[in-house]
Amino acid sequence: MAAGAQTKLTLPEALERALRVNNTVERSRIDATVADQNRKLLLSSILPQVQFTGSAIRNSTEVAFGTGADARTILPGKDWNYRVVLSQPVYAGLREKRAYDQAKIGTVNARLGVHETEDAILLRVASNYLGVANADANIAIEKRNIDLAEKRRTQSNAFYQAGEVTKVDVLRAETAIKASQRLLATAQQQREAAVSGLREDLDLTGDIAVTPPDNALAPLPDEQTLMTRAESSRPDVAVAQNNIRIAELEVLKQRGGRLPVVTFDAGYIDQKAAFPASRYGYGAFRFSVPIWDSNQVNLRVATAKEREEQAKLLLEDAKTAAHEDVRKAITDLHSADTTLQLAKEQLAAADAEYAQAFELYRAQESTSLDLATSELSLADARRAVASETLNHNLAQLRVWYAAGAIKEAVGVGATQQ
């Protein structure tokens, strides 16, 4: 996309694009692929292995025994040999199987990590998108506030020209205009900061124009339902549960160190030396039995059991954190509901107050100070509605995020490769 071109986005379009192009999401998917490759590597370690080896040797001495047809060279001056060997693990206390099972769970955890990363990116992109929409609203508000101050300046200037008020009234209006212009510049700077975050997350250049969201999120269920959902759906809780199983397998794997190790080898050898034979094959079962290891296996098992207990405690912490995140998010949403409603009521009252104050000022039944006060109240009320609307929208998203269901709330899905 050419630098400086403007991109127009709706919220669903921004979120879908984030799942497709965001580098943080892509890195997490690569981690999942690496985990799956590690699982395949562990599987290959218990499958048959075939090796071909050979050598060419120049010896300083040639040694043989026997004469004539019975002559046998046991050390040729120029020697060569090659062999093909097949190796197959047969039994090792099921340690390879348990390591493979751990790797499978690790793959699941990596995919859950992708889910968690996607949720975090969706929340961040939605926050920046709403920040741009809020900045647009603030820019429009400050322009309206400038219009109010200019309207007062026009009226004050008319009174001043008629000799009915002092220059102070005109200067107060000028001051109000400059104050609103300063806040307009701040709103424009805030918009650029939010757009910069969107550009980074969405791999875009140039300006971004957003469509104000219609707040059409799914209705929130009750608190207990959200807590249950969080416990069953949040990736961090699922990872903590899987880590307990990994720890249990580690205990069993370390206990396998007390059991025999059995392998099977088969090979074919071809060599120049005819002793004991120039060509032959073999097959062998080999085993080793641990007798005394200076308590190493017991210590490894004890360590694995401690890790298992630690994993259980981490699961309890994850569930507690999920419950408290939901409670806090719901509390914040209720507070945002209340403050947004109050801000709207404040705006209605301030609007009515300003209309009356301006009519009184125009009829010279009130002072410019009274009008400036009502004008300031109206401007503050407009800003409050915009700010509380943003807080309310973000609070809704955070409730769904805390419950592990933000994709469902915003209506987008993962784009797994």
Side-chain angles (χ1 to χ4, degrees), residues 80-394:
W80 58 264
N81 67 77
Y82 69 85
R83 64 183 62 201
V84 180
V85 178
L86 178 146
S87 300
Q88 172 63 62
V90 177
Y91 181 76
L94 298 178
R95 281 175 287 180
E96 293 93 343
K97 179 183 183 304
R98 281 155 185 161
Y100 177 70
D101 289 341
Q102 287 176 318
K104 287 198 295 184
I105 298 173
T107 300
V108 174
N109 281 352
R111 290 172 182 162
L112 288 168
V114 175
H115 183 185
E116 187 171 19
T117 300
E118 288 177 340
D119 284 357
I121 291 299
L122 288 177
L123 180 62
R124 189 168 77 193
V125 169
S127 298
N128 284 331
Y129 186 98
L130 293 174
V132 175
N134 176 253
D136 286 339
N138 283 333
I139 289 170
I141 286 170
E142 297 308 333
K143 288 179 179 178
R144 292 173 66 191
N145 292 339
I146 291 172
D147 290 341
L148 289 180
E150 288 178 342
K151 182 179 179 182
R152 173 156 59 96
R153 180 181 63 180
T154 300
Q155 186 64 60
S156 298
N157 194 54
F159 286 157
Y160 174 68
Q161 295 296 331
E164 297 177 359
V165 297
T166 65
K167 185 71 172 177
V168 172
D169 284 11
V170 178
L171 294 175
R172 281 177 181 159
E174 292 284 355
T175 301
I177 291 172
K178 298 304 179 183
S180 293
Q181 288 174 340
R182 178 177 56 82
L183 292 173
L184 174 61
T186 300
Q188 290 170 334
Q189 185 274 330
Q190 291 172 344
R191 184 187 191 281
E192 182 55 34
V195 167
S196 177
L198 275 183
R199 279 196 294 260
E200 182 179 354
D201 284 330
L202 302 182
D203 191 24
L204 292 171
T205 57
D207 190 32
I208 298 175
V210 304
T211 302
D214 56 8
N215 298 323
L217 293 180
L220 281 170
D222 61 84
E223 181 175 316
Q224 188 57 48
T225 301
L226 286 169
M227 286 187 184
T228 302
R229 177 67 183 268
E231 192 170 316
S232 63
S233 300
R234 278 182 44 149
D236 56 334
V237 176
V239 168
Q241 289 174 328
N242 290 340
N243 286 342
I244 292 178
R245 181 56 185 157
I246 290 176
E248 291 171 346
L249 288 168
E250 185 64 23
V251 173
L252 296 175
K253 186 173 73 175
Q254 295 303 332
R255 283 177 178 165
R258 301 189 181 106
L259 300 175
V261 175
V262 181
T263 59
F264 172 75
D265 295 338
Y268 175 78
I269 299 172
D270 188 3
Q271 59 185 7
K272 181 177 182 181
F275 182 84
S278 59
R279 295 183 181 87
Y280 64 94
Y282 70 90
F285 280 99
R286 310 182 193 278
F287 68 91
S288 63
V289 181
I291 297 176
W292 173 247
D293 63 356
S294 300
N295 209 34
Q296 291 182 20
V297 171
N298 289 336
L299 292 173
R300 292 193 187 104
V301 170
T303 300
K305 285 182 176 179
E306 293 298 326
R307 294 299 185 192
E308 180 184 359
E309 185 61 28
Q310 186 181 56
K312 291 177 180 177
L313 294 173
L314 288 172
L315 175 59
E316 292 180 10
D317 289 345
K319 288 181 177 179
T320 299
H323 293 166
E324 293 306 316
D325 285 349
V326 170
R327 286 194 183 99
K328 182 178 183 300
I330 290 175
T331 299
D332 291 345
L333 178 58
H334 289 163
S335 176
D337 283 334
T338 301
T339 54
L340 177 57
Q341 183 59 37
L342 291 173
K344 289 179 178 178
E345 293 173 3
Q346 177 187 354
L347 176 58
D351 202 14
E353 176 192 353
Y354 173 79
Q356 185 174 3
F358 187 81
E359 289 302 321
L360 291 173
Y361 178 67
R362 188 161 58 181
Q364 291 188 293
E365 295 179 10
S366 66
T367 66
S368 64
L369 188 58
D370 294 329
L371 180 58
T373 301
S374 63
E375 185 181 295
L376 181 60
S377 296
L378 178 57
D380 287 342
R382 287 172 174 172
R383 296 181 191 115
V385 169
S387 176
E388 295 306 331
T389 299
L390 173 64
N391 291 338
H392 180 268
N393 291 338
L394 290 177

